[in-house]
Amino acid sequence: MPVCSIHCGRNAVLKRPKTGDALCKECFFEAFESEIHFTITRAKLFKPNSTVAIAASGGKDSTVLAYVMKMLNEKYNYKLKLFLLSIDEGITGYRDDSLNTVKQNRDDYEMPLKILSYKDLYGWTMDEIVAEIGRKNNCTFCGVFRRQALDRGAHLLKVDCLATGHNADDIAETVLMNILRGDVARLNRCTSIVTDNGDGIPRVKPLKYTYEKEIVMYAYFKKLVYFSTECVFAPNAYRGHARMLLKDMEKIDPSVIMKIIQSGETLKVKSTAKLPTLMNCTRCGYISSQETCKACVLLEGLNKGLPKLGIGKSSKVKKALDDIQQNDSLCCSARGNSNVNNIKDLKDKKCLCLGSQNVLSVQIDEISLEKLTVE
Amino acid sequence: MCYVSLRNVNIKNISNFAFQTGYFLISMADLKIALEFGGGAEVLVGNQKVHEVAFPSKNKVWTIGDLLYWIKDNILKERPELFLQDGSVRPGILVLVNDADWELMDTVNYELKSNDRIVFISTLHGG
């Protein structure tokens, strides 16, 4: 059994992928936590006395993030008010179980928790969406909707900042994926540690330089309970291929993960490259590269019985949307009255076809920070 | 005599025999190993997190590499390619030997000792 590289005299329990050091449990905890603290302070992620929502899925990353944030907040006196924010996509056998883990986090870490559901926000659960579009493009819907759901949730909670559990492997994976897709615009911004979606609430990634292996080892040694069932819809996701490629390369040399992130960070898109200009969605006001944001397009497709609408090229989408606009009598009634609210209603505060009742606006008004309590 | 002839049979048969006959298990199988599956890896072994197993260790050294194939042949319930790849675990599955990273112990070449506890943790799932 090798001894700890720090020369503390204890036996090593882990080989760090980032450095190759063999560390004992105590020295590993110390290194793990202080590196995250260093990441936070160097990038000035949080201002004192601000409120921070931690995006919590019940998985390993957000569980470790919540634990470490609470610990560092106390240890280094960040003076942050921490909240948990969860999105319920409505995936039977996945999210309903993982939300129980989030509730456990709420109790263990004594943080208020707010759960927002796709059904509340969009009128559709993921189960219903999959029933409509099949399993090929469902992760597109889920990802796009979740991104906005977290933004909306952060907005509703009136927090100053939203922290997500993206780890180093996730970021490297995204860099690879954007290269494979030729998505230069996303490649350009996907490594940023702070991003802003135009609503003034920054999204930050405190675990950006933390390896997945260390997160899992940390959770294991700290005996943190997290939820680990694969999403029942995930096996067909494109991301899985990028992930396997990355994991295979990591086996040969673990430092590739940091090197890919570094490449993404230092990469500069040449000035002649055609990049989409960012604007606000004409329907919901969220930041978008198109006139109508992806979430609104996908939702429009679902509500009009054209679920493939948002999957193809944006030029085709625009044409299809114009066609729909001209034929607006189809709205909602195409699917009965079960899915009356779309994103457009958010702004107009009324549904185009029903005119008055809006499920969403009522629910939004009910949510405020004061009402969040630790049960 | 019995043991020698059995050694030439494939591992699966030995273990099946060992499981079926308590006598064999007690007299010959003196390498007791506790296996644990977590982080989603338990799905591959019928959702049973802990497996107590025993191997005949006389004249035979068992490495984790051997153990992996034994697991594949005996307790893996589905999709072996999600567990085993190129003679080792699939990248993304962490292995701990008595609560220490197997990368500190020569990974597949580690020689099992009695009462070892081997833990497999999958990291391959979303959050």
Side-chain angles (χ1 to χ4, degrees):
Chain A
M1 177 83 87
V3 291
C4 180
S5 305
I6 306 288
H7 306 299
C8 63
R10 288 180 289 251
N11 282 336
V13 295
L14 158 123
K15 187 176 179 192
R16 296 199 73 192
K18 205 191 284 186
T19 59
D21 287 343
L23 292 187
C24 72
K25 215 184 271 187
E26 286 74 12
C27 293
F28 166 57
F29 291 158
E30 179 62 31
F32 184 90
E33 291 156 6
S34 47
E35 278 182 18
I36 297 170
H37 171 62
F38 180 72
T39 303
I40 289 171
T41 48
R42 191 184 51 176
K44 299 190 178 66
L45 294 187
F46 308 112
K47 292 189 188 74
N49 303 311
S50 55
T51 49
V52 178
I54 297 170
S57 64
K60 57 185 171 21
D61 302 310
S62 58
T63 299
V64 168
L65 179 65
Y67 178 88
V68 172
M69 282 299 297
K70 180 183 164 68
M71 200 268 294
L72 293 177
N73 192 30
E74 286 164 6
K75 186 173 175 185
Y76 295 103
N77 202 16
Y78 292 164
K79 296 183 181 146
L80 301 177
K81 205 165 179 220
L82 300 172
F83 293 90
L84 296 170
L85 172 61
S86 282
I87 303 301
D88 182 1
E89 295 92 341
I91 304 174
T92 309
Y94 176 64
R95 195 50 93 204
D96 43 355
D97 291 345
S98 64
L99 284 174
N100 289 332
T101 316
V102 179
K103 287 170 188 162
Q104 190 65 46
N105 291 347
R106 171 196 65 194
D107 299 340
D108 291 348
Y109 310 148
E110 298 171 319
M111 288 181 199
L113 163 68
K114 178 66 207 167
I115 300 172
L116 286 176
S117 76
Y118 276 14
K119 192 76 179 172
D120 296 338
L121 288 168
Y122 306 108
W124 292 76
T125 67
M126 269 315 288
D127 284 345
E128 289 166 352
I129 292 172
V130 171
E132 195 75 11
I133 61 154
R135 291 195 169 200
K136 194 149 184 282
N137 294 305
N138 50 356
C139 294
T140 304
F141 281 80
C142 197
V144 169
F145 283 176
R146 178 164 12 171
R147 195 175 167 77
Q148 260 204 10
L150 283 170
D151 287 329
R152 289 182 187 284
H155 198 72
L156 295 174
L157 289 174
K158 296 187 175 60
V159 294
D160 299 309
C161 181
L162 175 68
T164 60
H166 292 103
N167 61 42
D169 298 52
D170 293 333
I171 313 266
E173 209 174 279
T174 309
V175 172
L176 281 182
M177 216 163 68
N178 287 330
I179 290 172
L180 296 175
R181 284 178 165 160
D183 192 335
V184 180
R186 284 208 175 80
L187 181 60
N188 201 21
R189 60 176 188 253
C190 70
T191 49
S192 305
I193 193 161
V194 182
T195 51
D196 189 337
N197 287 11
D199 58 357
I201 301 177
R203 299 167 63 111
V204 303
K205 306 184 186 88
L207 302 182
K208 184 189 166 186
Y209 298 110
T210 309
Y211 273 59
E212 189 161 65
K213 173 181 171 180
E214 296 197 1
I215 290 174
V216 173
M217 288 293 209
Y218 187 84
Y220 179 80
F221 289 131
K222 287 273 184 185
K223 297 188 168 54
L224 304 181
V225 177
Y226 62 88
F227 183 79
S228 56
T229 297
E230 185 67 68
C231 171
V232 285
F233 301 133
N236 288 323
Y238 188 81
R239 182 171 280 273
H241 299 297
R243 161 163 291 216
M244 285 329 294
L245 175 62
L246 186 72
K247 286 286 161 198
D248 285 343
M249 289 192 299
E250 184 190 4
K251 198 185 173 194
I252 301 163
D253 177 7
S255 70
V256 294
I257 288 176
M258 290 306 276
K259 286 171 186 164
I260 291 171
I261 296 176
Q262 200 195 3
S263 302
E265 282 173 341
T266 46
L267 183 139
K268 192 170 185 304
V269 178
K270 64 180 176 187
S271 54
T272 51
K274 205 176 157 214
L275 289 178
T277 22
L278 293 179
M279 55 186 107
N280 291 329
C281 172
T282 51
R283 298 194 170 207
C284 69
Y286 270 83
I287 201 151
S288 168
S289 56
Q290 303 291 328
E291 228 171 82
T292 313
C293 78
K294 191 85 168 170
C296 286
V297 171
L298 292 174
L299 201 60
E300 182 84 359
L302 282 171
N303 288 335
K304 297 287 160 61
L306 299 165
K308 295 258 158 61
L309 186 64
I311 307 295
K313 283 186 176 170
S314 51
S315 54
K316 285 183 186 168
V317 169
K318 195 170 182 318
K319 192 180 176 303
L321 279 178
D322 289 345
D323 289 349
I324 289 171
Q325 204 87 50
Q326 286 170 5
N327 198 3
D328 225 350
S329 58
L330 274 177
C331 174
C332 301
S333 54
R335 283 193 44 82
N337 286 337
S338 58
N339 301 294
V340 289
N341 55 325
N342 60 32
I343 292 279
K344 195 173 183 176
D345 310 335
L346 249 184
K347 205 178 182 184
D348 301 346
K349 296 283 179 192
K350 60 177 186 179
C351 179
L352 278 176
C353 52
L354 290 189
S356 57
Q357 281 295 315
N358 185 307
V359 188
L360 188 53
S361 62
V362 176
Q363 301 222 348
I364 287 172
D365 293 341
E366 285 172 354
I367 302 165
S368 69
L369 268 185
E370 290 68 37
K371 288 185 180 164
L372 288 172
T373 48
V374 180
E375 286 160 31
Chain B
M1 277 299 285
C2 170
Y3 182 63
V4 171
S5 63
L6 270 171
R7 278 192 66 220
N8 298 325
V9 192
N10 74 38
I11 295 170
K12 183 172 181 171
N13 287 344
I14 289 186
S15 57
N16 284 348
F17 184 59
F19 278 130
Q20 284 156 14
T21 59
Y23 172 75
F24 180 82
L25 201 67
I26 296 160
S27 65
M28 294 298 203
D30 46 0
L31 190 62
K32 281 189 238 160
I33 309 289
L35 303 175
E36 269 184 54
F37 297 83
E42 66 274 20
V43 177
L44 302 175
V45 290
N47 266 319
Q48 188 185 332
K49 289 201 173 194
V50 181
H51 297 251
E52 304 274 349
V53 297
F55 303 107
S57 66
K58 207 174 176 186
N59 304 322
K60 160 107 177 98
V61 170
W62 283 80
T63 64
I64 293 193
D66 300 328
L67 175 69
L68 293 179
Y69 281 99
W70 182 89
I71 290 172
K72 173 179 177 280
D73 289 336
N74 291 279
I75 56 177
L76 223 54
K77 292 281 189 286
E78 53 179 306
R79 295 176 290 173
E81 73 279 6
L82 293 189
F83 183 74
L84 216 63
Q85 184 180 318
D86 302 330
S88 183
V89 289
R90 183 179 179 227
I93 295 178
L94 305 180
V95 185
L96 292 109
V97 178
N98 302 324
D99 267 357
D101 190 355
W102 79 331
E103 289 185 43
L104 297 170
M105 336 229 195
D106 206 10
T107 63
V108 288
N109 302 315
Y110 172 81
E111 293 176 7
L112 293 173
K113 300 185 302 294
S114 209
N115 298 317
D116 272 350
R117 181 167 154 269
I118 316 291
V119 179
F120 300 92
I121 310 175
S122 174
T123 66
L124 301 168
H125 46 75

